[in-house]
């Protein structure tokens, strides 16, 4: 089959930050076209958003239910192939469930669901449906993150001993949710965000990055969560000790009230033979230190990269690649897998986050909240 994949979108209407990111990322590699959408819980706003994206009016829907049902009724060579869900957390599970049960593949923003029970159920629905499900932990799409993972997998660093990860932002240092700022309003609302605030929004990225690069599961944790914003019931800050399944120890710090920070995600992994560090705000350098060799810095499409990193380096060395390109890698790898499925081919190990990663993220949120309630007591993720 030689054609672009057809994407529908739920959420992400006019003024949405993440909806625009998804659309741009999906388009970067020329494999996907947006063909329809239910862009808002307001039918009027949804249709207006679709028109602003130059979609035909009959493919701009007033609700996700209407979109899934009507797209299903269209001829196979016209209807959407998959749906991207870019809504607040409480509206991830219902459309994902309906889409999968009606024969559509799904790309979903993180965290996967509002509750852990929903996440466990959704993983079962994905398996039963036989459809593909991708979760947009976008930082795993960065070429140097893939280099870091490949180096750990290859044993270059030796046995992993220690991990430090942080994700620091400052945008909730003041009560911006009281000003009508939509992105802040739903994130501090447990009915729409779930039981985790910054924990679910950015802490899950830190958790996912740790497990992705090291290939190790977090076995237990001790979490101390903060609620510094006046009147906030959800955490806006947190510090977590982690113990990995191989005996490695780690620290994790995340915050959205760290005044002056923008999007400071960074990770350091220390092994017996070497260590590495990567900073999202300087994503084009992977810095490595060695027991008996000089410091070495890797760059996208630069020297000595593993095939896994080269495969997602899009432009010549020295040309910066960052957030959108990493996000696009998730869509590219998902699209490659979906095209293979539609052609009757098999990909044994798809390279993008799945429902399994979504369940891990929800287990991390719930274990952290439970630990915090018990004065940072050690708590198992499972």
């Amino acid at each position: 089959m030689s054609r672009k994949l057809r994407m529908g979108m739920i959420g992400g209407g006019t003024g949405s930050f993440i909806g625009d990111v998804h659309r741009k990322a999906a388009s970067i590699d020329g494999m996907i076209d947006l063909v329809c959408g239910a862009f808002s819980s307001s039918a009027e706003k949804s249709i207006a958003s679709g028109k602003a994206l130059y979609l035909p009016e009959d493919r701009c829907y007033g609700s996700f239910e209407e979109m899934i049902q009507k797209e299903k009724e269209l001829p196979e060579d016209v209807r959407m192939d998959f749906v991207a869900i870019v809504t607040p957390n409480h509206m991830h599970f219902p459309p994902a469930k309906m889409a999968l049960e009606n024969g559509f593949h799904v790309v979903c923003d993180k965290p996967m669901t509002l509750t852990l029970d929903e996440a466990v159920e959704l993983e079962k629905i994905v398996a039963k449906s036989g459809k593909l499900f991708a979760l947009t932990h976008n930082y795993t799409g960065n070429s140097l993150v893939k280099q870091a993972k490949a180096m750990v997998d290859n044993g270059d660093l030796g046995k992993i001993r220690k991990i430090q990860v942080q994700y620091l932002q400052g945008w909730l240092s003041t009560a911006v949710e009281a000003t009508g700022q939509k992105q802040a309003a739903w994130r501090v609302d447990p009915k729409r965000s779930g039981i985790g605030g910054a924990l679910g929004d950015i802490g899950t990225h830190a958790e996912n990055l740790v497990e992705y690069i090291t290939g190790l599961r977090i076995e237990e944790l001790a979490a101390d969560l903060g609620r510094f914003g006046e009147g906030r019931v959800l955490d806006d800050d947190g510090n977590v000790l982690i113990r990995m399944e191989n005996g490695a120890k780690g620290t994790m710090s995340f915050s959205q009230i760290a005044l002056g920070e923008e999007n400071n995600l960074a990770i350091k992994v220390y092994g017996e033979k070497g260590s590495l560090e990567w900073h999202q705000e300087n994503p084009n350098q992977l810095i490595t230190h060695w027991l008996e060799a000089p410091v070495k810095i890797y760059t996208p499409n630069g020297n000595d990269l593993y095939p896994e990193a080269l495969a997602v380096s899009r432009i010549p060395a020295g040309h910066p690649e960052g957030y959108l390109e990493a996000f696009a890698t998730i869509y590219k790898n998902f699209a490659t897998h979906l095209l293979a499925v539609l052609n009757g081919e098999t990909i044994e190990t798809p390279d993008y986050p799945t429902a399994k990663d979504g369940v891990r993220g929800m287990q991390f949120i719930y274990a952290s909240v439970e630990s915090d309630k018990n004065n940072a007591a050690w708590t198992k993720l499972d």
Side-chain angles (χ1 to χ4, degrees):
M1 183 177 64
S2 180
R3 66 168 175 86
K4 288 188 178 184
L5 292 169
R6 297 181 291 268
M7 179 176 78
M9 180 167 281
I10 297 172
T14 303
S16 165
F17 158 69
I18 202 63
D20 192 46
V21 168
H22 275 259
R23 287 188 290 270
K24 288 174 179 173
S27 70
I28 281 178
D29 292 290
M31 302 173 72
I32 298 167
D33 279 335
L34 178 69
V35 298
C36 65
F39 300 102
S40 172
S41 56
S42 160
E44 183 180 355
K45 290 179 180 178
S46 176
I47 292 169
S49 295
K51 287 181 177 179
L53 293 167
Y54 304 103
L55 293 178
E57 190 167 348
D58 64 348
R59 304 293 290 277
C60 305
Y61 300 104
S63 68
F64 75 82
E65 295 93 342
E66 179 191 16
M67 184 180 87
I68 293 170
Q69 186 57 48
K70 287 194 174 181
E71 287 292 312
K72 185 180 179 181
E73 294 169 357
L74 292 175
E76 286 189 18
D77 62 347
V78 176
R79 72 172 70 134
M80 66 180 180
D81 295 300
F82 73 95
V83 62
I85 300 171
V86 297
T87 56
N89 303 350
H90 72 298
M91 287 303 296
H92 288 180
F93 178 78
K97 178 178 186 293
M98 185 176 179
L100 291 163
E101 291 178 342
N102 281 274
F104 295 106
H105 307 272
V106 172
V107 173
C108 185
D109 213 7
K110 42 56 52 194
M112 186 163 74
T113 51
L114 186 71
T115 69
L116 178 55
D117 286 344
E118 284 182 348
V120 172
E121 183 179 352
L122 187 56
E123 186 179 28
K124 293 176 182 176
I125 293 170
V126 171
K128 184 178 179 181
S129 73
K131 300 302 174 183
L132 304 188
F133 183 95
L135 191 70
T136 52
H137 276 299
N138 53 290
Y139 298 106
T140 64
N142 187 282
S143 63
L144 294 184
V145 170
K146 294 197 179 297
Q147 173 69 13
K149 175 177 175 55
M151 293 176 74
V152 173
D153 288 348
N154 196 51
D156 296 356
L157 274 62
K159 182 181 178 181
I160 302 305
R161 292 171 163 174
K162 183 178 180 64
I163 303 154
Q164 288 184 308
V165 63
Q166 66 181 41
Y167 200 155
L168 305 176
Q169 299 175 338
W171 71 290
L172 291 181
S173 292
T174 61
V176 291
E177 64 268 28
T179 68
Q181 216 268 33
K182 289 176 62 177
Q183 300 302 320
W186 75 259
R187 282 174 168 82
V188 302
D189 178 4
K191 292 180 180 178
R192 291 181 284 174
S193 183
I195 66 171
L199 174 65
D201 193 27
I202 59 176
T204 51
H205 274 308
E207 166 269 327
N208 179 258
L209 201 61
V210 166
E211 293 198 341
Y212 180 76
I213 290 177
T214 67
L216 301 169
R217 290 164 66 88
I218 299 172
E219 217 168 49
E220 58 182 342
L221 55 77
D224 181 22
L225 305 180
R227 297 159 187 85
F228 290 98
E230 185 176 352
R232 287 180 187 158
V233 296
L234 296 180
D235 63 275
D236 49 20
D237 182 82
N239 298 288
V240 185
L241 296 177
I242 56 177
R243 292 172 176 166
M244 310 302 291
E245 62 181 331
N246 76 330
K249 311 286 187 180
T251 61
M252 179 185 299
S253 181
F254 54 86
S255 181
Q256 292 178 319
I257 52 86
L259 186 64
E261 297 287 359
E262 294 180 336
N263 201 52
N264 189 357
L265 170 62
I267 185 168
K268 298 181 181 180
V269 179
Y270 300 89
E272 293 176 322
K273 299 188 294 184
S275 66
L276 59 82
E277 64 178 286
W278 179 78
H279 298 259
Q280 190 278 149
E281 291 187 337
N282 186 20
N284 294 279
Q285 288 192 344
L286 175 66
I287 303 168
T288 61
H289 298 259
W290 305 100
L291 190 62
E292 297 178 346
V295 173
K296 186 170 184 177
I297 299 175
Y298 294 87
T299 58
N301 241 332
N303 295 328
D304 294 336
L305 291 184
Y306 280 103
E308 295 89 337
L310 286 171
V312 297
S313 298
R314 291 177 174 81
I315 49 182
H319 296 74
E321 298 184 40
Y323 179 78
L324 281 176
E325 289 86 355
F327 218 114
T329 295
I330 305 298
Y331 271 100
K332 179 183 180 181
N333 291 351
F334 172 81
T336 299
H337 190 191
L338 180 49
L339 285 168
V341 168
L342 295 177
N343 284 326
E345 301 165 2
T346 301
I347 293 181
E348 293 296 333
T349 309
D351 186 13
Y352 55 83
T354 65
K356 179 181 178 181
D357 299 286
V359 172
R360 288 295 293 168
M362 294 307 297
Q363 289 173 332
F364 168 74
I365 293 170
Y366 272 65
S368 296
V369 170
E370 182 67 21
S371 173
D372 180 63
K373 285 180 180 177
N374 291 289
N375 197 30
W378 284 102
T379 305
K380 298 281 188 181
L381 257 73
D382 299 329

